[in-house]
């Protein structure tokens, strides 16, 4: 029987936005959002969930993201580059066999250029939509990242279908559409414990607890259904739902350091 050996929540850049940006009806309190990527060491190879910001933005996010970096107060130290962190853990970027993309917003696609050899997994329609988004949402997609994505061989997950990546129940891609057309989460199971990484279907825990979406959700009806799915999962005694941009979740789940499983 195969399974997960270890998993890490890699050191994450941050961006800051008002609560009203991440929660419909929210206030003006600042939310310092981590922009994480997760590395999973499975018996059958390394899996990366999300790719954070672009390596060339490390040390100087404004050089790559321009006024956006300043508006969102982006913080991205050099040592947080994905390739450096993967090498520091004793692997090579070529060892990453599977890249799972929660969705194609720029804070999740920046490091895709490191993994042209990988098998990619994205929700149905996600990368197609990223090429031609609604005008008011176009700023969330970065052309250079999509060009890097084009080097990867992608598998598309149909909406409503959850995919058991290795057939052993340890790594399951969760369909969570609505924030974007093909939003995904990742479920990790080890020793009877289940950790669900939300991707951006939720940005803060209150999206789930209040079943309240995010103002920039592309389809707010489907987004609420995805929040209901996360709420049901979170109610299970064996499941922890980690909302990836939630600063409090980051504090809680990273309290023991970078390694989160194993
Ligand atoms: Zn995001």
């Amino acid at each position: 029987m195969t399974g997960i050996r270890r998993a890490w929540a890699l050191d994450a850049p941050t961006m800051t936005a008002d609560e009203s940006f991440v929660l419909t009806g929210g206030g003006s309190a600042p939310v310092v959002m981590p922009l994480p990527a997760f590395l999973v060491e499975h018996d059958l190879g390394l899996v990366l969930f999300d790719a954070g910001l672009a390596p060339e933005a490390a040390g100087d996010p404004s050089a790559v993201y321009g006024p956006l970096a300043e508006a969102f107060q982006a913080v991205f130290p050099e040592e947080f580059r994905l390739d450096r962190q993967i090498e520091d853990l004793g692997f090579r970027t070529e060892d990453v066999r599977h890249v799972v993309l929660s969705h194609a917003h720029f804070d999740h696609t920046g490091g895709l250029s490191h993994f042209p050899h990988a098998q990619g997994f994205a929700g149905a329609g996600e990368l197609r939509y990223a090429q031609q988004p609604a005008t008011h949402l176009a700023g969330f997609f970065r052309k250079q990242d999509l060009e890097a994505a084009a080097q990867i061989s992608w598998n598309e997950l149909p909406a409503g279908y959850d995919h058991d990546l290795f057939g052993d129940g340890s790594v399951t891609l969760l369909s969570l559409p609505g924030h974007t057309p093909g939003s995904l989460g990742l479920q990790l199971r080890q020793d009877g414990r289940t950790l669900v990484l939300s991707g951006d279907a939720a940005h803060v825990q209150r999206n789930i607890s209040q079943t309240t979406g995010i103002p920039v959700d592309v389809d707010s009806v489907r987004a609420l259904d995805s929040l209901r799915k996360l709420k049901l999962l979170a109610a299970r005694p064996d499941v922890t739902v980690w909302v990836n941009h939630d600063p409090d979740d980051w504090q809680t789940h990273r309290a023991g350091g970078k390694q989160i499983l194993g």
Side-chain angles (χ1 to χ4, degrees), residues 18-106:
D18 287 0
E19 188 193 49
S20 61
F21 181 82
V22 298
L23 179 74
T24 298
S28 59
V31 179
V32 182
M33 298 183 286
L35 314 178
F38 297 87
L39 188 67
V40 180
E41 184 189 21
H42 186 275
D43 289 328
L44 300 179
L46 288 180
V47 181
L48 183 78
F49 182 56
D50 277 344
L53 294 181
E56 57 271 28
D60 187 8
S62 297
V64 168
Y65 300 107
L68 201 66
E70 275 136 49
F72 288 100
Q73 301 167 55
V75 177
F76 185 11
E78 282 279 353
E79 61 270 25
F80 286 12
R81 284 172 55 132
L82 283 192
D83 52 341
R84 301 253 175 96
Q85 295 199 67
I86 289 168
E87 284 159 16
D88 284 349
L89 289 170
F91 305 109
R92 301 168 306 158
T93 50
E94 297 82 14
D95 297 332
V96 175
R97 302 255 188 91
H98 302 87
V99 171
V100 181
L101 197 58
S102 72
H103 64 309
H105 283 175
F106 72 90

Side-chain angles (χ1 to χ4, degrees), residues 33 35 102-103 105 107-108 179 200 203 245:
M33 298 183 286
L35 314 178
S102 72
H103 64 309
H105 283 175
D107 55 314
H108 301 257
H179 178 57
D200 281 13
H203 278 42
H245 281 323

Side-chain angles (χ1 to χ4, degrees), residues 187-190 192-196 233 236 238-241:
Q187 176 177 286
L188 304 175
R189 189 171 290 161
Q190 188 189 47
R193 183 186 162 209
T194 301
L195 180 64
V196 170
L233 283 166
R236 260 173 43 183
D238 62 315
V239 174
T240 300
V241 174

